[in-house]
Amino acid sequence: MTTKSSSALPTRWPETFRPDDVTAPVHGVLVKDRIEHGDAHGVGQHAHKTGQLTITLSGWVGLSVGGSIVALPAGTAAWVPSGVAHEGILGENASSWYVHFAEPLCAELPKTIERFFISNLALEAARRFIDRNDPFDADSPLGRIARVLIDEIRSAERLKPGFAALSTHPLLKAVAEAIIAKPDMRLSREDYAEAAGISGRQLSRILAAETGRGFGDWRLELVMLQATLLLRRGMTTEAVAAEVGYSSASAFIVAFKRVFGVTPGAYVTGN
């Protein structure tokens, strides 16, 4: 096997979108375009005066924060408080919603970046704020929907802090890209390390130093990250199990539940 460069690139907001516009307490936008290599219009690491909710709709979505990359599987979201530097990332054919909260609403939400499962109720509430920037009062219909969305964010089940930890270290990045490109549990640490031009032991040492993770758990989470994309595309549990290298659906279900705490079926339905 050989490694290849990642197709994940920084996001490009629609030209008319102003994330720090506080005309409305909550407003959002669909983001599906990317800034290609060499494009001078990239904003790089930046912070907002508003709080940002990033919701993965399809494909590979992430956030670059400092020297690491936060991965957002399909069916999950991330909260980025106001003032926290970050940069959105999209893979090929990926899409997400950015929903921005003005003060005082974002003051009710977490003070640090958090990742969590997004409920169907939260998705429907967020949908009401996409591509609109109308002012509203707390007691108005939109105000009550905003309250529902805030409550859903606050009560959502969180992903583990180190879930699918990625790094800007070039060798780890190459290995992570290889796992994401070919999520196959039948491949060993040595298989991936050899493709990156290092030994298995070197890979484990770099991984531990950069992320604090062991290869087995790290690889499993990256594989399951890709499995969520396949499930969201409508593939059956049996088909996804075979695609990511499991000999049986039952073994895949056990591994999936170990990572996410729910079965693949419950993950897809949002239960």
Side-chain angles (χ1 to χ4, degrees):
M1 60 177 291
T2 58
T3 61
K4 63 177 184 178
S5 61
S6 176
S7 59
L9 295 169
T11 57
R12 181 195 295 275
W13 305 323
E15 291 186 3
T16 58
F17 183 64
R18 301 291 182 268
D20 288 330
D21 184 350
V22 293
T23 301
V26 183
H27 69 294
V29 68
L30 169 67
V31 177
K32 59 182 181 178
D33 295 324
R34 307 184 302 162
I35 297 172
E36 300 297 332
H37 293 297
D39 192 321
H41 295 92
V43 297
Q45 293 279 313
H46 60 278
H48 300 297
K49 296 178 181 177
T50 54
Q52 178 179 308
L53 174 66
T54 299
I55 300 175
T56 299
L57 299 177
S58 63
W60 197 98
V61 177
L63 293 171
S64 175
V65 182
S68 62
I69 300 172
V70 178
L72 303 178
T76 70
W79 170 253
V80 181
S82 60
V84 175
H86 64 283
E87 182 176 32
I89 296 174
L90 288 178
E92 288 183 294
N93 302 315
S95 62
S96 62
W97 284 337
Y98 287 178
V99 184
H100 286 258
F101 293 73
E103 296 286 359
L105 292 182
C106 67
E108 302 182 43
L109 292 163
K111 306 303 181 187
T112 58
I113 293 177
E114 293 193 8
R115 293 180 295 171
F116 48 88
F117 291 101
I118 190 79
S119 69
N120 290 332
L121 178 58
L123 276 174
E124 289 308 311
R127 189 188 306 274
R128 296 295 298 273
F129 300 102
I130 301 303
D131 293 330
R132 66 186 304 168
N133 194 19
D134 309 317
F136 59 83
D137 297 325
D139 293 331
S140 68
L142 277 179
R144 291 191 288 273
I145 292 172
R147 170 52 52 193
V148 168
L149 181 53
I150 289 171
D151 289 344
E152 287 294 298
I153 294 171
R154 293 176 65 178
S155 63
E157 181 182 352
R158 266 46 180 175
L159 287 172
K160 294 180 293 185
F163 174 84
L166 301 178
S167 170
T168 56
H169 189 289
L171 290 176
L172 278 190
K173 191 168 181 287
V175 174
E177 289 165 356
I179 295 172
I180 290 171
K182 187 175 178 59
D184 190 337
M185 291 296 291
R186 289 166 295 199
L187 296 175
S188 67
R189 178 189 70 172
E190 282 66 29
D191 290 328
Y192 288 112
E194 181 181 359
I198 57 176
S199 70
R201 288 186 177 181
Q202 285 177 304
L203 172 56
S204 290
R205 284 197 296 269
I206 295 171
L207 181 63
E210 290 286 319
T211 70
R213 308 300 304 282
F215 179 80
D217 287 341
W218 182 69
R219 188 267 304 269
L220 175 63
E221 290 173 357
L222 288 175
V223 168
M224 290 303 164
L225 173 64
Q226 295 307 102
T228 64
L229 301 183
L230 301 177
L231 289 166
R232 290 279 173 172
R233 290 173 185 164
M235 290 180 64
T236 65
T237 297
E238 290 75 13
V240 175
E243 185 73 16
V244 298
Y246 282 88
S247 59
S248 69
S250 59
F252 169 69
I253 291 170
V254 169
F256 191 94
K257 191 170 183 180
R258 172 186 164 192
V259 172
F260 292 110
V262 296
T263 64
Y267 179 88
V268 172
T269 60
N271 295 323

